[in-house]
Amino acid sequence: MTTHPVSSLEDINAALLSQNPFAKPPFLNASDVWGNEFFDVETINSHASDAAFHALDQIRTGQYSTTSIAITAQDGTGKTHIISRIRHRLQAKGGGLFVYANKYGEFRQIKQGFQRILAESLGKIGSQGVKQWQELATAMSNDALKAATPNPKIYSPPDLVNKFKKGKPSQVKKWIKDLTKTFLQAKDVSDPDIVKAILWTLSDEQSLYAIKWLEGQELAQYKSNELELPSQRQSFDAVLQILDLISEYNELVICFDELDTPDAYDDISGLHISQIVAGLIKDLLQNLNRGLILSVMMPAQWSNKIKQLPGGVSTKVSAYGNPIDLKYMDGESIVNLVSFWLDKYYQLRHLIAPDRIYPFNQIQLAELGKAKPTVREVLNWCKDRCKPPILNPSDSSKAPDISNPVEIAFIKELEEDIENSLEDNYLLADAILFGFQSLIGQTVERVTVQSATDKVNKHGGKDHYINFKVIGKDNGKDVIIGVAVLQYYGGRGLGTGLNRLNDYQTFNLTRGCLVRSQSKKITSYLEEKYLVPLIKQQGGEYVPLKEDEIKPLLAIRAVHQKRDVDYGVSEEQIFNFIAEKGADKMLGTSNPLLKEILSDPSYNIPTDLIEDEPVTVAESIMADRSDSEELNEACENLLSEFN
C-alpha cells in the first residue's frame, strides 16, 4: 500500500492562518438544500434521516400510502441539515420527487402559497438531470404513447426534453396537443389544463411560463392563448390534481422548514405560522395518495403550538409516531464532524496533516463533548480556536478576525438564489417594508419617516394589492405613500392593483407608488387606463424593481426573521448593523430602492416599460371534427412522430 508523506507543519500552519477551515457560517438555508455542494457526516443524527427513508421504502413497497414525520430539536442541532440530506440523497439515487417549503407568503392564503411552493420546487433539477416537472411530464408522455400503441418507444426524461428542444414551435405545439388528448383517454383526470401545462414544461422555450401558470400566477393573455391555457388557475383543487398525477408515478417528499419564527402570527386568527402550516399538513395528508410529509421545529413549538390545536391535528403532523428528537453532539460525533471538515479543507489544498483533527487534539474535543453542544456550537468553537502555533511573530497578523454576527448572517442570506422571490409580491413588499421600518425617525430625500405599516385600509386591515404605507413629513407637510409591489405577469391582477393604487381617497394617500421590474412590460391599454392617471394626474410614481437593490433588503429581513432561532442576534444588533454598515451593504438610508420611493416623483413613464399586446391568430387545425376523429388522428400522429 502506497502512503503519502505528511506535509510540513510550516505549510499546513501557513494554510490554516491564511484561511480558516471553519470560516463558512454554520447555518443552512434554501441555497444549501437545493445547491450542489453539501458537506454531510451521515452518521450524525442518522436515526432521523433513516426513519424518513425507511418510511419511503414502506410506502414504495405498498405497506401504506402516506405518512408524516415531525422532527424536533433545538436551534443549531441540524434540522435543516436533515432536510438537505434527504434532498441530496433523493437527487443522487432517485426514489421520489422533492418539495421544500420555507417561505409561505401571506398566512391567510397558505394554500395558494403552497401551490407556488410546489410548482417552484418541481422546477428544480431532479435525479435524472432535468427539472422534476420534466420527469413527471415524461412519465405522463410515455403513458400516452402506451395508450396509442402496444409497443411504443419509451423515452427517458433527458431524451424527451432533447426531442422537444429540437422540434419547431409549431411541431412542439402539436405534440403537446396530441399527447394531452391521448393521455386524457388513458387516465381519469378532472382538470385537462393541468395535464397540458405539465406537458408544456418539456419545452425549454415555454417551461418558465408553464411553471408560472402551475404556480397559480396569471399569464399575459397572449401567452395563455399561445399555450392554449386559461390565463390563470389558482386553487387548492389544482394542487390536489397535481398531487394525484405525481402519485401515479412517484413518491413525493414534502418538507416544511422555518416554522420557529417568533413573531410570525396571523393578525386576525392569532395563529402562529407553525399552526397554520399544521392545518395545511392535515389537508395534504388527507389528499396525498403516495408520499411523506416532513416538518422540523423546536420542541417548544411542538408542545406549545401544535399539540394545542384541536381536532387531532398533531397526529396528522406526526402520523409516523412521536416526534423524532435530534441528538446533541458527543466526543465521538465531534471528532467525526471536525475530521470530515478538515479533510475536505486539506484535500482542496493538496495537504496531508499529521493527524485527522490537526490543529486540535482528542483531549480538547472530548472535553467539548461533555457539554453536549449543538453542531452549530461545535463549528463556531472550531472557528474561534482553529489557530495553530505561530511560526514567527509576523504571521500573527494573518489570523482571521471574528466578524460581526449580524454580518455573518447577512452574508449567508445573500447566498440565497432570489430568482423565484422576484415573483412573490408579498415577500418583496415585506422586505421593502422592513427597510422602511429601519428608517423610522430618519430623514431621507427630505422625507422624515414617522412610520411604515401594512395596515392600509380604512379599518386598519391589510390589502392584497397595496402592500403598505410610508407615513412621514416633507418640510412640515404630511406625506402618505401607498406602495404596491405588482409583479403579476397577467393583466387582471395588475389592473386591479393599479386601480386600487389610484384610489387615494379610500386608502388616505397623498401619493401612490408602483414597484415593478422594468422587464415586465405593461400594455398600452393599462398604461392609458391606470398609469397615466396615477403618474401624470395624481403625482404618483413608478419605481423599477432591480435585483441588486432588493437583494440586500431580502437578506437583512431574513436575518431579522431568524434572529432568535438561527442566528442568535438581537433586533438592536441588526438595526445597529444597518446604521453602521448600510453604506457598504446597500441598506437603510443607502438603499437606492428605498430612496427612490421617498424621492420626488418624476412624473414620467419609461417608454421601454410599455408594449403593445401582441395580436394572436387562433389556430384551428382540427376544427369542426368530432372528439373521436380528433383523438384517432392524435394517436396516429403520436405513433409516427415519437417512434
Side-chain angles (χ1 to χ4, degrees), residues 243-317:
L243 296 181
D244 283 346
L245 288 167
I246 293 172
S247 296
E248 287 279 335
Y249 306 101
N250 232 321
E251 287 74 38
L252 180 65
V253 180
I254 305 172
C255 295
F256 291 95
D257 196 4
E258 296 185 23
L259 300 176
D260 299 306
T261 305
D263 51 2
Y265 286 89
D266 176 44
D267 53 4
I268 292 181
S269 68
L271 294 175
H272 185 263
I273 182 58
S274 61
Q275 296 172 310
I276 296 169
V277 168
L280 174 63
I281 291 173
K282 178 182 178 182
D283 289 340
L284 290 173
L285 193 67
Q286 291 170 339
N287 289 282
L288 183 64
N289 294 325
R290 196 166 141 205
L292 166 67
I293 301 174
L294 180 74
S295 56
V296 296
M297 66 193 78
M298 292 173 65
Q301 211 69 25
W302 172 261
S303 58
N304 299 335
K305 297 288 194 298
I306 308 303
K307 287 286 286 183
Q308 306 306 315
L309 291 172
V313 173
S314 63
T315 61
K316 300 295 184 183
V317 176

Side-chain angles (χ1 to χ4, degrees), residues 119-404:
E120 282 182 4
S121 292
L122 295 180
K124 302 291 187 181
I125 301 299
S127 63
Q128 300 188 56
V130 299
K131 296 172 183 174
Q132 295 184 99
W133 276 123
Q134 293 170 331
E135 291 183 27
L136 175 60
T138 300
M140 292 165 59
S141 297
N142 285 332
D143 257 5
L145 294 171
K146 291 174 187 176
T149 178
N151 298 299
K153 178 178 179 179
I154 301 301
Y155 285 86
S156 70
D159 286 345
L160 191 56
V161 170
N162 191 51
K163 182 178 180 66
F164 270 76
K165 186 179 295 185
K166 293 178 179 177
K168 296 178 180 178
S170 59
Q171 191 176 29
V172 167
K173 189 169 187 175
K174 189 172 181 299
W175 289 346
I176 297 295
K177 195 168 188 175
D178 291 351
L179 284 168
T180 301
K181 286 184 175 295
T182 312
F183 183 85
L184 293 174
Q185 181 192 38
K187 300 288 184 180
D188 182 19
V189 176
S190 61
D191 192 337
D193 290 324
I194 296 288
V195 172
K196 184 183 293 182
I198 293 173
L199 293 173
W200 268 120
T201 65
L202 291 166
S203 164
D204 282 345
E205 183 180 347
Q206 303 291 8
S207 179
L208 170 66
Y209 299 102
I211 292 173
K212 295 302 178 190
W213 187 90
L214 289 161
E215 286 178 15
Q217 289 201 40
E218 183 186 5
L219 298 182
Q221 191 58 53
Y222 81 91
K223 181 56 67 173
S224 68
N225 291 345
E226 188 178 335
L227 300 184
E228 296 184 341
L229 292 169
S231 60
Q232 187 175 30
R233 177 79 84 246
Q234 186 182 62
S235 71
F236 196 58
D237 287 339
V239 170
L240 299 183
Q241 179 68 84
I242 293 168
L243 296 181
D244 283 346
L245 288 167
I246 293 172
S247 296
E248 287 279 335
Y249 306 101
N250 232 321
E251 287 74 38
L252 180 65
V253 180
I254 305 172
C255 295
F256 291 95
D257 196 4
E258 296 185 23
L259 300 176
D260 299 306
T261 305
D263 51 2
Y265 286 89
D266 176 44
D267 53 4
I268 292 181
S269 68
L271 294 175
H272 185 263
I273 182 58
S274 61
Q275 296 172 310
I276 296 169
V277 168
L280 174 63
I281 291 173
K282 178 182 178 182
D283 289 340
L284 290 173
L285 193 67
Q286 291 170 339
N287 289 282
L288 183 64
N289 294 325
R290 196 166 141 205
L292 166 67
I293 301 174
L294 180 74
S295 56
V296 296
M297 66 193 78
M298 292 173 65
Q301 211 69 25
W302 172 261
S303 58
N304 299 335
K305 297 288 194 298
I306 308 303
K307 287 286 286 183
Q308 306 306 315
L309 291 172
V313 173
S314 63
T315 61
K316 300 295 184 183
V317 176
S318 192
Y320 196 72
N322 291 326
I324 298 172
D325 293 321
L326 299 188
K327 298 175 181 177
Y328 290 98
M329 304 287 282
D330 57 20
E332 181 181 355
S333 60
I334 290 174
V335 168
N336 290 337
L337 175 65
V338 172
S339 62
F340 177 85
W341 211 266
L342 287 168
D343 184 56
K344 293 283 186 184
Y345 177 85
Y346 290 134
Q347 280 184 23
L348 286 172
R349 288 156 182 79
H350 307 291
L351 295 170
I352 299 176
D355 184 273
R356 65 179 183 141
I357 58 173
Y358 183 84
F360 305 110
N361 59 60
Q362 294 280 352
I363 296 174
Q364 283 178 297
L365 300 187
E367 189 66 25
L368 177 61
K370 292 178 181 178
K372 297 190 179 302
T374 66
V375 174
R376 187 179 301 161
E377 288 168 341
V378 170
L379 293 175
N380 277 326
W381 183 93
C382 291
K383 181 186 71 172
D384 294 343
R385 292 164 177 79
C386 192
K387 300 173 183 177
I390 304 299
L391 300 182
N392 60 66
S394 64
D395 287 333
S396 61
S397 62
K398 299 178 183 178
D401 295 325
I402 305 301
S403 299
N404 182 326

Side-chain angles (χ1 to χ4, degrees), residues 104-114 234 464:
Y104 301 100
E106 177 62 57
F107 295 162
R108 277 169 280 166
Q109 297 181 319
I110 190 72
K111 289 183 177 179
Q112 292 94 319
F114 183 74
Q234 186 182 62
H464 290 311

Side-chain angles (χ1 to χ4, degrees), residues 392-503:
N392 60 66
S394 64
D395 287 333
S396 61
S397 62
K398 299 178 183 178
D401 295 325
I402 305 301
S403 299
N404 182 326
V406 178
E407 186 168 7
I408 293 173
F410 178 73
I411 291 170
K412 179 62 181 176
E413 290 297 334
L414 282 176
E415 295 176 3
E416 285 281 84
D417 180 0
I418 68 167
E419 181 182 356
N420 288 325
S421 297
L422 294 176
E423 309 297 335
D424 190 331
N425 296 328
Y426 174 84
L427 183 67
L428 296 169
D430 186 53
I432 300 170
L433 171 60
F434 181 71
F436 279 113
Q437 289 170 338
S438 74
L439 295 180
I440 291 174
Q442 301 184 60
T443 300
V444 182
E445 297 292 326
R446 297 206 328 267
V447 176
T448 301
V449 179
Q450 296 175 319
S451 67
T453 177
D454 58 3
K455 309 297 190 296
V456 299
N457 65 31
K458 285 183 176 180
H459 306 291
K462 295 182 179 180
D463 185 77
H464 290 311
Y465 296 95
I466 300 180
N467 303 108
F468 61 88
K469 291 179 182 179
V470 181
I471 301 169
K473 292 279 188 181
D474 184 350
N475 290 326
K477 184 180 178 181
D478 288 337
V479 176
I480 306 174
I481 305 172
V483 179
V485 181
L486 301 175
Q487 291 285 80
Y488 298 106
Y489 275 79
R492 192 186 321 161
L494 179 58
T496 302
L498 286 172
N499 183 48
R500 296 173 83 79
L501 199 57
N502 272 280
D503 192 352

